[in-house]
């Protein structure tokens, strides 16, 4: 008969497996899923970009690996699958300080976190070489940490949930195409009669095609219970996401790779909406930001902040809980 400790360990393993099997949230992706993709890629089962999103390609690679090793074929990277991966499946992120010469699951996860924060480690291979060390040093300097090139607890805490380190919008290398051709109605910020608005509204006829703002991976495609209605979230590079709300019909699925201008859905009035329009958001590490500086061919008419008030959203919302979860995120709220 299993003891209390055995039951606890079994439950912990099951929860870990479930988390690894879940689709990515509205964050740029999961560091553990990225580490899994790196491991699968190293053995030739995942010849796709590392994006931290558990889509069909990732789950298919895991199933193939499990079949090859006589494991239960469920597509979930649980304890047995991680063990069968050997050094590529361990140790967990945060289990040790990482420095030059280290290899493993945690290093691959670290490389993904650095990439998501805009500090490129020179690729994802699970090996802590000079490029990864340089990326760690650059991040530590930017974040005001001790610059020793060692990814210890303090550096990981900052990467996962500390102050956001990013370039100003005017210097951003990320830009988006307009998702629909029409003019902008309500802008970003405080709008009459004192309502906070986290995106741009494009009034368009019902059924107007909605186009992806740029290259990325669909991380959510479904119904949001917090007012967005039929919602698509696309994860882009450097921690950016684009959100497309109130759709009448969704024309893509989670895990799909999209390019700018590709039709992903159609204008509607689902969720908290008074008429057909597209509510378009840009989020950076989970926090809504003004899309205007990132939109190609569009400049603000100055209406977005007419009340003069300012509202500061918490940075790194994706690392601080479920406030940025696209299933439950509340329309026009900071996470």
């Amino acid at each position: 008969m299993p003891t209390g400790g055995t039951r606890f360990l079994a439950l912990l393993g099951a929860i870990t497996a479930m988390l690894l099997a879940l689709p990515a949230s509205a964050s740029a992706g999961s560091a553990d899923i990225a580490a899994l993709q790196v491991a699968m890629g190293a053995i030739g089962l995942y010849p796709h970009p590392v994006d931290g999103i558990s889509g069909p390609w990732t789950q298919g690679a895991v199933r193939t690996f499990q079949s090859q090793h006589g494991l239960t074929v469920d597509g979930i990277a649980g304890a047995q699958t991680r063990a069968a991966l050997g050094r590529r499946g361990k140790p967990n992120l945060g289990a040790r300080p990482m420095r030059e010469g280290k290899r493993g699951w945690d290093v691959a996860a670290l490389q993904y976190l650095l990439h998501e924060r805009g500090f490129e480690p020179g690729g994802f291979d699970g090996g802590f070489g000079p490029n990864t060390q340089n990326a760690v040093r650059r991040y530590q300097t930017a974040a005001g940490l001790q610059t020793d090139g060692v990814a210890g607890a303090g550096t990981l805490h900052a990467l996962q949930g500390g102050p956001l380190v990013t370039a100003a919008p005017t210097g951003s290398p990320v830009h988006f195409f307009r998702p629909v051709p029409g003019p902008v109605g309500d802008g970003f910020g405080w709008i009459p009669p004192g309502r906070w608005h986290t995106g741009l509204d494009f009034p368009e006829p019902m059924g107007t095609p909605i186009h992806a703002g740029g290259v990325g991976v669909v991380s959510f495609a479904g119904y949001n219970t917090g007012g967005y209605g039929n919602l698509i979230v696309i994860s882009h590079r450097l921690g950016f996401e684009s959100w497309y709300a109130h759709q009448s019909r969704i024309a893509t699925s989670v895990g799909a790779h999209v390019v700018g201008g590709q039709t992903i859905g159609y204008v509607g009035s689902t969720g908290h909406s008074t008429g057909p329009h597209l509510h378009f958001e840009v989020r950076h590490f989970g926090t809504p930001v003004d899309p205007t500086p990132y939109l190609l061919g569009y400049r603000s008419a100055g209406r977005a902040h007419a009340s003069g008030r300012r509202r500061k959203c918490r940075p790194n919302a994706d690392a601080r809980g479920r406030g940025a979860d696209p299933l439950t995120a509340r329309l026009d709220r900071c996470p």
Side-chain angles (χ1 to χ4, degrees), residues 113-124:
L113 288 174
L114 289 165
H115 163 78
E116 284 294 278
R117 273 26 179 186
F119 297 83
E120 293 299 330
F124 310 103

Side-chain angles (χ1 to χ4, degrees), residues 94-118:
R96 61 177 180 174
M98 289 168 281
R99 52 174 51 87
E100 190 169 9
K102 298 294 184 181
R103 300 190 63 84
W105 178 283
D106 57 346
V107 176
L110 168 68
Q111 291 171 332
Y112 180 77
L113 288 174
L114 289 165
H115 163 78
E116 284 294 278
R117 273 26 179 186

Side-chain angles (χ1 to χ4, degrees), residues 35-36 39 78-79 81-92 104-106:
L36 174 63
T81 300
R82 290 273 299 270
L85 283 168
R87 62 177 177 81
R88 295 189 177 94
K90 59 184 181 182
N92 290 329
W105 178 283
D106 57 346

Side-chain angles (χ1 to χ4, degrees), residues 207-301:
T208 300
I210 299 169
H211 307 296
V215 174
V217 177
V218 177
S219 56
F220 182 83
Y223 193 84
N224 163 272
T225 61
Y228 287 88
N230 287 331
L231 172 68
I232 289 174
V233 177
I234 299 175
S235 296
H236 306 278
R237 65 194 185 103
L238 302 180
F240 284 90
E241 304 155 353
S242 53
W243 291 43
Y244 310 77
H246 307 312
Q247 299 185 36
S248 60
R249 181 162 63 91
I250 291 173
T252 188
S253 58
V254 172
H257 289 250
V258 298
V259 296
Q262 179 177 334
T263 297
I264 57 173
Y266 300 89
V267 169
S269 189
T270 55
H272 297 169
S273 171
T274 58
H277 73 283
L278 170 67
H279 174 88
F280 173 73
E281 289 186 14
V282 170
R283 294 196 175 202
H284 198 203
F285 299 116
T287 297
V289 297
D290 186 354
T292 304
Y294 304 98
L295 271 185
L296 294 170
Y298 176 68
R299 293 295 179 268
S300 172

